[in-house]
mmCIF file of all heavy atoms in Angstrom:
data_model
loop_
_atom_site.group_PDB
_atom_site.id
_atom_site.type_symbol
_atom_site.label_atom_id
_atom_site.label_comp_id
_atom_site.label_asym_id
_atom_site.label_seq_id
_atom_site.Cartn_x
_atom_site.Cartn_y
_atom_site.Cartn_z
ATOM 1 N N PRO A 1 -6.330 5.214 -19.786
ATOM 2 C CA PRO A 1 -7.628 4.691 -19.360
ATOM 3 C C PRO A 1 -7.554 3.876 -18.071
ATOM 4 O O PRO A 1 -8.459 3.959 -17.230
ATOM 5 C CB PRO A 1 -8.057 3.819 -20.545
ATOM 6 C CG PRO A 1 -7.386 4.439 -21.722
ATOM 7 C CD PRO A 1 -6.055 4.891 -21.202
ATOM 8 N N VAL A 2 -6.488 3.114 -17.890
ATOM 9 C CA VAL A 2 -6.345 2.338 -16.666
ATOM 10 C C VAL A 2 -6.165 3.258 -15.470
ATOM 11 O O VAL A 2 -6.779 3.055 -14.402
ATOM 12 C CB VAL A 2 -5.166 1.344 -16.779
ATOM 13 C CG1 VAL A 2 -4.790 0.771 -15.412
ATOM 14 C CG2 VAL A 2 -5.532 0.213 -17.730
ATOM 15 N N ARG A 3 -5.369 4.294 -15.616
ATOM 16 C CA ARG A 3 -5.169 5.231 -14.507
ATOM 17 C C ARG A 3 -6.487 5.933 -14.147
ATOM 18 O O ARG A 3 -6.796 6.134 -12.969
ATOM 19 C CB ARG A 3 -4.081 6.241 -14.859
ATOM 20 C CG ARG A 3 -2.686 5.612 -14.936
ATOM 21 C CD ARG A 3 -1.665 6.595 -15.484
ATOM 22 N NE ARG A 3 -1.377 7.647 -14.529
ATOM 23 C CZ ARG A 3 -0.400 7.588 -13.624
ATOM 24 N NH1 ARG A 3 0.376 6.521 -13.554
ATOM 25 N NH2 ARG A 3 -0.183 8.589 -12.799
ATOM 26 N N ARG A 4 -7.271 6.295 -15.165
ATOM 27 C CA ARG A 4 -8.573 6.916 -14.873
ATOM 28 C C ARG A 4 -9.512 5.923 -14.197
ATOM 29 O O ARG A 4 -10.253 6.285 -13.268
ATOM 30 C CB ARG A 4 -9.200 7.451 -16.170
ATOM 31 C CG ARG A 4 -8.496 8.686 -16.730
ATOM 32 C CD ARG A 4 -9.324 9.351 -17.810
ATOM 33 N NE ARG A 4 -9.459 8.543 -19.010
ATOM 34 C CZ ARG A 4 -8.598 8.575 -20.038
ATOM 35 N NH1 ARG A 4 -7.533 9.370 -19.987
ATOM 36 N NH2 ARG A 4 -8.805 7.841 -21.112
ATOM 37 N N ALA A 5 -9.490 4.679 -14.651
ATOM 38 C CA ALA A 5 -10.357 3.659 -14.058
ATOM 39 C C ALA A 5 -10.007 3.421 -12.591
ATOM 40 O O ALA A 5 -10.894 3.324 -11.730
ATOM 41 C CB ALA A 5 -10.250 2.357 -14.852
ATOM 42 N N TYR A 6 -8.718 3.348 -12.284
ATOM 43 C CA TYR A 6 -8.306 3.091 -10.913
ATOM 44 C C TYR A 6 -8.598 4.294 -10.015
ATOM 45 O O TYR A 6 -8.999 4.135 -8.850
ATOM 46 C CB TYR A 6 -6.831 2.701 -10.866
ATOM 47 C CG TYR A 6 -6.623 1.207 -11.016
ATOM 48 C CD1 TYR A 6 -7.131 0.530 -12.122
ATOM 49 C CD2 TYR A 6 -5.947 0.469 -10.058
ATOM 50 C CE1 TYR A 6 -6.964 -0.835 -12.268
ATOM 51 C CE2 TYR A 6 -5.776 -0.902 -10.190
ATOM 52 C CZ TYR A 6 -6.276 -1.551 -11.300
ATOM 53 O OH TYR A 6 -6.129 -2.907 -11.429
ATOM 54 N N ALA A 7 -8.428 5.494 -10.527
ATOM 55 C CA ALA A 7 -8.772 6.690 -9.747
ATOM 56 C C ALA A 7 -10.265 6.698 -9.432
ATOM 57 O O ALA A 7 -10.685 7.030 -8.301
ATOM 58 C CB ALA A 7 -8.365 7.951 -10.509
ATOM 59 N N HIS A 8 -11.083 6.330 -10.411
ATOM 60 C CA HIS A 8 -12.529 6.249 -10.201
ATOM 61 C C HIS A 8 -12.865 5.178 -9.169
ATOM 62 O O HIS A 8 -13.699 5.411 -8.268
ATOM 63 C CB HIS A 8 -13.211 5.935 -11.538
ATOM 64 C CG HIS A 8 -14.689 5.712 -11.426
ATOM 65 N ND1 HIS A 8 -15.604 6.738 -11.490
ATOM 66 C CD2 HIS A 8 -15.414 4.562 -11.257
ATOM 67 C CE1 HIS A 8 -16.827 6.249 -11.362
ATOM 68 N NE2 HIS A 8 -16.736 4.929 -11.225
ATOM 69 N N ALA A 9 -12.227 4.010 -9.293
ATOM 70 C CA ALA A 9 -12.521 2.908 -8.368
ATOM 71 C C ALA A 9 -12.165 3.285 -6.930
ATOM 72 O O ALA A 9 -12.905 2.964 -5.990
ATOM 73 C CB ALA A 9 -11.750 1.662 -8.792
ATOM 74 N N ILE A 10 -11.067 3.984 -6.744
ATOM 75 C CA ILE A 10 -10.671 4.399 -5.396
ATOM 76 C C ILE A 10 -11.646 5.442 -4.860
ATOM 77 O O ILE A 10 -12.097 5.367 -3.705
ATOM 78 C CB ILE A 10 -9.227 4.925 -5.406
ATOM 79 C CG1 ILE A 10 -8.248 3.773 -5.686
ATOM 80 C CG2 ILE A 10 -8.885 5.608 -4.077
ATOM 81 C CD1 ILE A 10 -6.829 4.223 -5.962
ATOM 82 N N ALA A 11 -12.034 6.400 -5.694
ATOM 83 C CA ALA A 11 -12.970 7.444 -5.266
ATOM 84 C C ALA A 11 -14.334 6.859 -4.915
ATOM 85 O O ALA A 11 -15.008 7.328 -3.989
ATOM 86 C CB ALA A 11 -13.111 8.500 -6.364
ATOM 87 N N GLU A 12 -14.736 5.806 -5.643
ATOM 88 C CA GLU A 12 -16.045 5.184 -5.426
ATOM 89 C C GLU A 12 -15.984 4.026 -4.436
ATOM 90 O O GLU A 12 -16.964 3.307 -4.253
ATOM 91 C CB GLU A 12 -16.619 4.695 -6.763
ATOM 92 C CG GLU A 12 -16.929 5.811 -7.745
ATOM 93 C CD GLU A 12 -18.000 6.748 -7.210
ATOM 94 O OE1 GLU A 12 -18.980 6.246 -6.607
ATOM 95 O OE2 GLU A 12 -17.847 7.971 -7.389
ATOM 96 N N ARG A 13 -14.840 3.829 -3.809
ATOM 97 C CA ARG A 13 -14.659 2.847 -2.739
ATOM 98 C C ARG A 13 -14.864 1.410 -3.202
ATOM 99 O O ARG A 13 -15.450 0.579 -2.510
ATOM 100 C CB ARG A 13 -15.593 3.145 -1.548
ATOM 101 C CG ARG A 13 -15.595 4.590 -1.093
ATOM 102 C CD ARG A 13 -14.281 5.007 -0.495
ATOM 103 N NE ARG A 13 -14.025 4.384 0.812
ATOM 104 C CZ ARG A 13 -12.915 4.524 1.497
ATOM 105 N NH1 ARG A 13 -11.924 5.280 1.001
ATOM 106 N NH2 ARG A 13 -12.761 3.943 2.660
ATOM 107 N N TYR A 14 -14.381 1.103 -4.379
ATOM 108 C CA TYR A 14 -14.343 -0.300 -4.799
ATOM 109 C C TYR A 14 -13.393 -1.059 -3.875
ATOM 110 O O TYR A 14 -12.484 -0.492 -3.267
ATOM 111 C CB TYR A 14 -13.855 -0.407 -6.243
ATOM 112 C CG TYR A 14 -14.919 -0.232 -7.301
ATOM 113 C CD1 TYR A 14 -15.511 1.011 -7.522
ATOM 114 C CD2 TYR A 14 -15.327 -1.299 -8.082
ATOM 115 C CE1 TYR A 14 -16.481 1.182 -8.492
ATOM 116 C CE2 TYR A 14 -16.301 -1.148 -9.066
ATOM 117 C CZ TYR A 14 -16.874 0.095 -9.270
ATOM 118 O OH TYR A 14 -17.844 0.257 -10.233
ATOM 119 N N ARG A 15 -13.586 -2.370 -3.795
ATOM 120 C CA ARG A 15 -12.740 -3.238 -2.976
ATOM 121 C C ARG A 15 -11.653 -3.836 -3.870
ATOM 122 O O ARG A 15 -11.942 -4.312 -4.971
ATOM 123 C CB ARG A 15 -13.592 -4.327 -2.314
ATOM 124 C CG ARG A 15 -14.712 -3.736 -1.459
ATOM 125 C CD ARG A 15 -15.770 -4.751 -1.099
ATOM 126 N NE ARG A 15 -15.312 -5.666 -0.068
ATOM 127 C CZ ARG A 15 -15.074 -6.970 -0.250
ATOM 128 N NH1 ARG A 15 -15.242 -7.506 -1.457
ATOM 129 N NH2 ARG A 15 -14.685 -7.723 0.741
ATOM 130 N N PHE A 16 -10.421 -3.863 -3.377
ATOM 131 C CA PHE A 16 -9.278 -4.211 -4.213
ATOM 132 C C PHE A 16 -8.704 -5.592 -3.887
ATOM 133 O O PHE A 16 -8.877 -6.137 -2.804
ATOM 134 C CB PHE A 16 -8.174 -3.163 -4.036
ATOM 135 C CG PHE A 16 -8.326 -1.970 -4.952
ATOM 136 C CD1 PHE A 16 -9.447 -1.154 -4.867
ATOM 137 C CD2 PHE A 16 -7.355 -1.671 -5.911
ATOM 138 C CE1 PHE A 16 -9.589 -0.057 -5.701
ATOM 139 C CE2 PHE A 16 -7.493 -0.570 -6.754
ATOM 140 C CZ PHE A 16 -8.618 0.237 -6.641
ATOM 141 N N TYR A 17 -7.996 -6.111 -4.891
ATOM 142 C CA TYR A 17 -7.137 -7.301 -4.816
ATOM 143 C C TYR A 17 -7.951 -8.606 -4.824
ATOM 144 O O TYR A 17 -9.075 -8.633 -5.307
ATOM 145 C CB TYR A 17 -6.158 -7.226 -3.655
ATOM 146 C CG TYR A 17 -5.278 -5.987 -3.656
ATOM 147 C CD1 TYR A 17 -4.644 -5.569 -2.498
ATOM 148 C CD2 TYR A 17 -5.097 -5.213 -4.802
ATOM 149 C CE1 TYR A 17 -3.832 -4.439 -2.479
ATOM 150 C CE2 TYR A 17 -4.289 -4.082 -4.790
ATOM 151 C CZ TYR A 17 -3.660 -3.696 -3.625
ATOM 152 O OH TYR A 17 -2.859 -2.578 -3.606
ATOM 153 N N SER A 18 -7.386 -9.682 -4.316
ATOM 154 C CA SER A 18 -7.886 -11.034 -4.587
ATOM 155 C C SER A 18 -9.354 -11.238 -4.224
ATOM 156 O O SER A 18 -10.104 -11.877 -4.961
ATOM 157 C CB SER A 18 -7.037 -12.062 -3.836
ATOM 158 O OG SER A 18 -5.726 -12.087 -4.329
ATOM 159 N N TYR A 19 -9.772 -10.745 -3.070
ATOM 160 C CA TYR A 19 -11.155 -10.917 -2.629
ATOM 161 C C TYR A 19 -12.010 -9.697 -2.960
ATOM 162 O O TYR A 19 -13.122 -9.550 -2.448
ATOM 163 C CB TYR A 19 -11.201 -11.174 -1.126
ATOM 164 C CG TYR A 19 -10.931 -12.610 -0.707
ATOM 165 C CD1 TYR A 19 -10.432 -12.896 0.574
ATOM 166 C CD2 TYR A 19 -11.192 -13.680 -1.551
ATOM 167 C CE1 TYR A 19 -10.199 -14.197 0.980
ATOM 168 C CE2 TYR A 19 -10.958 -14.983 -1.151
ATOM 169 C CZ TYR A 19 -10.463 -15.247 0.116
ATOM 170 O OH TYR A 19 -10.244 -16.551 0.518
ATOM 171 N N GLY A 20 -11.522 -8.823 -3.821
ATOM 172 C CA GLY A 20 -12.204 -7.573 -4.088
ATOM 173 C C GLY A 20 -13.108 -7.613 -5.305
ATOM 174 O O GLY A 20 -13.535 -8.678 -5.776
ATOM 175 N N ASP A 21 -13.393 -6.432 -5.832
ATOM 176 C CA ASP A 21 -14.298 -6.263 -6.963
ATOM 177 C C ASP A 21 -13.560 -6.485 -8.284
ATOM 178 O O ASP A 21 -12.388 -6.857 -8.292
ATOM 179 C CB ASP A 21 -14.926 -4.868 -6.906
ATOM 180 C CG ASP A 21 -15.802 -4.679 -5.670
ATOM 181 O OD1 ASP A 21 -16.568 -5.609 -5.348
ATOM 182 O OD2 ASP A 21 -15.710 -3.611 -5.025
ATOM 183 N N ALA A 22 -14.256 -6.248 -9.397
ATOM 184 C CA ALA A 22 -13.703 -6.609 -10.702
ATOM 185 C C ALA A 22 -13.813 -5.467 -11.700
ATOM 186 O O ALA A 22 -14.593 -4.529 -11.520
ATOM 187 C CB ALA A 22 -14.420 -7.841 -11.254
ATOM 188 N N CYS A 23 -13.010 -5.595 -12.763
ATOM 189 C CA CYS A 23 -13.046 -4.699 -13.927
ATOM 190 C C CYS A 23 -13.352 -5.538 -15.165
ATOM 191 O O CYS A 23 -12.861 -6.663 -15.283
ATOM 192 C CB CYS A 23 -11.688 -4.045 -14.152
ATOM 193 S SG CYS A 23 -11.465 -2.445 -13.392
ATOM 194 N N LEU A 24 -14.107 -4.972 -16.077
ATOM 195 C CA LEU A 24 -14.297 -5.589 -17.389
ATOM 196 C C LEU A 24 -13.823 -4.592 -18.430
ATOM 197 O O LEU A 24 -14.421 -3.519 -18.605
ATOM 198 C CB LEU A 24 -15.765 -5.946 -17.625
ATOM 199 C CG LEU A 24 -16.095 -6.519 -19.006
ATOM 200 C CD1 LEU A 24 -15.378 -7.853 -19.235
ATOM 201 C CD2 LEU A 24 -17.603 -6.680 -19.183
ATOM 202 N N PHE A 25 -12.723 -4.920 -19.102
ATOM 203 C CA PHE A 25 -12.173 -4.067 -20.153
ATOM 204 C C PHE A 25 -12.761 -4.494 -21.493
ATOM 205 O O PHE A 25 -12.559 -5.632 -21.934
ATOM 206 C CB PHE A 25 -10.652 -4.156 -20.175
ATOM 207 C CG PHE A 25 -9.998 -3.541 -18.965
ATOM 208 C CD1 PHE A 25 -9.542 -4.332 -17.923
ATOM 209 C CD2 PHE A 25 -9.851 -2.166 -18.861
ATOM 210 C CE1 PHE A 25 -8.950 -3.771 -16.808
ATOM 211 C CE2 PHE A 25 -9.263 -1.590 -17.752
ATOM 212 C CZ PHE A 25 -8.808 -2.389 -16.715
ATOM 213 N N LEU A 26 -13.490 -3.564 -22.122
ATOM 214 C CA LEU A 26 -14.170 -3.840 -23.386
ATOM 215 C C LEU A 26 -13.705 -2.852 -24.455
ATOM 216 O O LEU A 26 -14.380 -1.843 -24.732
ATOM 217 C CB LEU A 26 -15.694 -3.725 -23.205
ATOM 218 C CG LEU A 26 -16.403 -4.822 -22.425
ATOM 219 C CD1 LEU A 26 -17.892 -4.483 -22.280
ATOM 220 C CD2 LEU A 26 -16.251 -6.174 -23.114
ATOM 221 N N PRO A 27 -12.569 -3.105 -25.078
ATOM 222 C CA PRO A 27 -12.146 -2.242 -26.187
ATOM 223 C C PRO A 27 -13.120 -2.329 -27.349
ATOM 224 O O PRO A 27 -13.948 -3.252 -27.432
ATOM 225 C CB PRO A 27 -10.778 -2.820 -26.581
ATOM 226 C CG PRO A 27 -10.358 -3.676 -25.426
ATOM 227 C CD PRO A 27 -11.610 -4.183 -24.812
ATOM 228 N N GLU A 28 -13.052 -1.344 -28.231
ATOM 229 C CA GLU A 28 -13.892 -1.397 -29.432
ATOM 230 C C GLU A 28 -13.576 -2.631 -30.246
ATOM 231 O O GLU A 28 -12.444 -3.099 -30.287
ATOM 232 C CB GLU A 28 -13.675 -0.141 -30.281
ATOM 233 C CG GLU A 28 -14.209 1.142 -29.639
ATOM 234 C CD GLU A 28 -14.072 2.318 -30.579
ATOM 235 O OE1 GLU A 28 -13.609 2.120 -31.732
ATOM 236 O OE2 GLU A 28 -14.419 3.437 -30.162
ATOM 237 N N ARG A 29 -14.617 -3.144 -30.894
ATOM 238 C CA ARG A 29 -14.391 -4.318 -31.743
ATOM 239 C C ARG A 29 -13.443 -3.979 -32.879
ATOM 240 O O ARG A 29 -13.457 -2.865 -33.415
ATOM 241 C CB ARG A 29 -15.729 -4.799 -32.332
ATOM 242 C CG ARG A 29 -16.593 -5.563 -31.331
ATOM 243 C CD ARG A 29 -17.851 -6.073 -32.018
ATOM 244 N NE ARG A 29 -18.692 -6.848 -31.128
ATOM 245 C CZ ARG A 29 -18.585 -8.149 -30.968
ATOM 246 N NH1 ARG A 29 -17.662 -8.820 -31.624
ATOM 247 N NH2 ARG A 29 -19.396 -8.795 -30.161
ATOM 248 N N ARG A 30 -12.658 -4.984 -33.251
ATOM 249 C CA ARG A 30 -11.743 -4.770 -34.391
ATOM 250 C C ARG A 30 -12.510 -4.662 -35.682
ATOM 251 O O ARG A 30 -13.564 -5.259 -35.847
ATOM 252 C CB ARG A 30 -10.769 -5.948 -34.496
ATOM 253 C CG ARG A 30 -9.994 -6.196 -33.226
ATOM 254 C CD ARG A 30 -9.095 -7.373 -33.433
ATOM 255 N NE ARG A 30 -8.898 -8.076 -32.178
ATOM 256 C CZ ARG A 30 -7.944 -8.958 -31.989
ATOM 257 N NH1 ARG A 30 -7.114 -9.254 -32.951
ATOM 258 N NH2 ARG A 30 -7.821 -9.566 -30.834
ATOM 259 N N ALA A 31 -11.972 -3.887 -36.572
ATOM 260 C CA ALA A 31 -12.627 -3.732 -37.882
ATOM 261 C C ALA A 31 -12.554 -5.023 -38.668
ATOM 262 O O ALA A 31 -11.604 -5.777 -38.553
ATOM 263 C CB ALA A 31 -11.943 -2.606 -38.651
#
């Protein structure tokens, strides 16, 4: 999932690193 997310971010021209854009990882809630 991380590799897919980063490939998407690069294709969509997200800005990277300290002054860049953000990710929110939301796994499914635990049972």
Side-chain angles (χ1 to χ4, degrees):
V2 166
R3 291 172 71 91
R4 289 193 293 271
Y6 271 56
H8 175 87
I10 292 170
E12 295 297 319
R13 312 293 290 176
Y14 275 70
R15 302 165 75 248
F16 274 62
Y17 304 160
S18 294
Y19 278 155
D21 296 317
C23 266
L24 176 63
F25 292 101
L26 288 176
E28 291 185 2
R29 283 183 178 270
R30 304 179 210 195

